[in-house]
């Protein structure tokens, strides 16, 4: 008896792109960046390899689009966090935790790879809402907007690289890998005291 094929699902191009990006993100979270292969994404999304290639060209195109997708998610999360800050005051711990989780879920390796191949974030300045909110709510009038930019850029750099190189750098200073949470606490305390 011939094998029955499941009926094709018709999606708009935008729905298909979104499905592929969500599938690629899921695979990256579960198996790291090496798990994001065109064929694996197509199979998991219930599409053909050609369907994925139609929307993204090749794996590099898919990875760049996945990075754009992640940047958009961070922008949304930053905006939501900042809107809460206007009511409750800055919550640096939640902000750091949100960014840390994004990078720990595969975006650190993705960022390193796509930046290395020339990808640039084409959206608005990623952390600008946080800079503006922290500046507006600072308690120390000597803190400039550039001070806040430097602090957040330094934090962002550490958060992006820690999942990839943190253990080795901690060892270079004589710290155990488990000191990562102590470093997070240090960043939070430093930002709170510096920006306060």
């Amino acid at each position: 008896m011939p094998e029955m094929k499941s009926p094709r699902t018709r999606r708009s191009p935008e729905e298909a792109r979104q499905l592929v990006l969500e599938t690629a993100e899921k695979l990256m979270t579960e198996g790291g960046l090496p798990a994001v292969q065109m064929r694996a994404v197509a199979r998991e999304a219930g599409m053909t390899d050609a369907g994925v290639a139609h929307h993204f060209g090749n794996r590099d195109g898919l990875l760049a689009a996945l990075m754009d997708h992640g940047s958009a998610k961070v922008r949304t999360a930053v905006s939501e966090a900042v809107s809460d800050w206007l009511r409750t005051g800055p919550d640096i711990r939640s902000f750091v935790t949100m960014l840390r989780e994004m990078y720990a879920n595969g975006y650190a390796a993705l960022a390193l790879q796509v930046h290395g191949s020339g990808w640039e974030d084409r959206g608005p300045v990623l952390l600008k809402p946080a800079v503006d909110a922290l500046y507006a709510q600072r308690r120390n009038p000597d803190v400039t907007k550039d001070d806040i930019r430097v602090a957040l850029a330094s934090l962002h750099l550490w958060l992006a690289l820690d999942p990839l190189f943190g253990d080795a750098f901690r060892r270079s200073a004589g710290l155990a890998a488990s000191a990562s949470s102590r470093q997070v606490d240090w960043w939070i305390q430093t930002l709170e005291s510096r920006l306060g």
Side-chain angles (χ1 to χ4, degrees):
M1 179 151 65
E3 183 180 322
M4 298 284 293
K5 291 188 176 186
S6 59
R8 286 179 65 184
T9 303
R10 295 268 182 213
R11 297 178 185 91
S12 72
E14 188 51 45
E15 289 171 331
R17 280 182 62 82
Q18 189 64 29
L19 174 63
V20 170
L21 290 172
E22 289 171 1
T23 302
E25 183 178 49
K26 175 181 177 274
L27 290 173
M28 180 177 68
T29 300
E30 293 172 353
L33 197 54
V36 182
Q37 300 295 327
M38 298 287 280
R39 179 163 287 155
V41 172
R43 183 176 43 250
E44 185 76 19
M47 297 175 68
T48 64
D49 297 3
V52 174
H54 171 75
H55 293 286
F56 300 99
N58 56 26
R59 184 171 186 259
D60 289 342
L62 175 59
L63 294 179
L66 184 57
M67 193 68 208
D68 287 338
H69 173 76
S71 293
K73 285 177 71 170
V74 170
R75 276 189 186 83
T76 299
V78 167
S79 294
E80 289 172 0
V82 168
S83 70
D84 287 345
W85 291 358
L86 299 175
R87 279 192 336 273
T88 62
D91 182 352
I92 301 293
R93 182 169 296 280
S94 293
F95 182 74
V96 170
T97 300
M98 175 271 298
L99 285 175
R100 186 177 189 217
E101 287 173 0
M102 278 292 291
Y103 284 113
N105 284 331
Y107 278 99
L110 178 61
L112 187 65
Q113 180 165 333
V114 298
H115 277 285
S117 65
W119 178 88
E120 289 183 23
D121 192 355
R122 295 174 300 277
V125 176
L126 190 67
L127 300 179
K128 184 181 184 312
V131 169
D132 292 343
L134 288 169
Y135 182 72
Q137 296 186 15
R138 74 196 188 288
R139 292 184 302 269
N140 180 350
D142 294 333
V143 172
T144 68
K145 202 171 239 191
D146 268 354
D147 292 334
I148 295 170
R149 287 183 183 114
V150 167
L152 289 183
S154 299
L155 167 70
H156 195 199
L157 178 63
W158 177 74
L159 289 169
L161 294 177
D162 187 63
L164 301 173
F165 308 113
D167 289 348
F169 280 88
R170 279 184 281 281
R171 279 193 306 276
S172 74
L175 291 172
S178 60
S180 177
S181 62
R182 287 180 52 208
Q183 279 188 288
V184 170
D185 289 339
W186 180 87
W187 272 105
I188 292 165
Q189 291 165 1
T190 300
L191 286 172
E192 289 174 343
S193 66
R194 179 70 182 110
L195 302 177

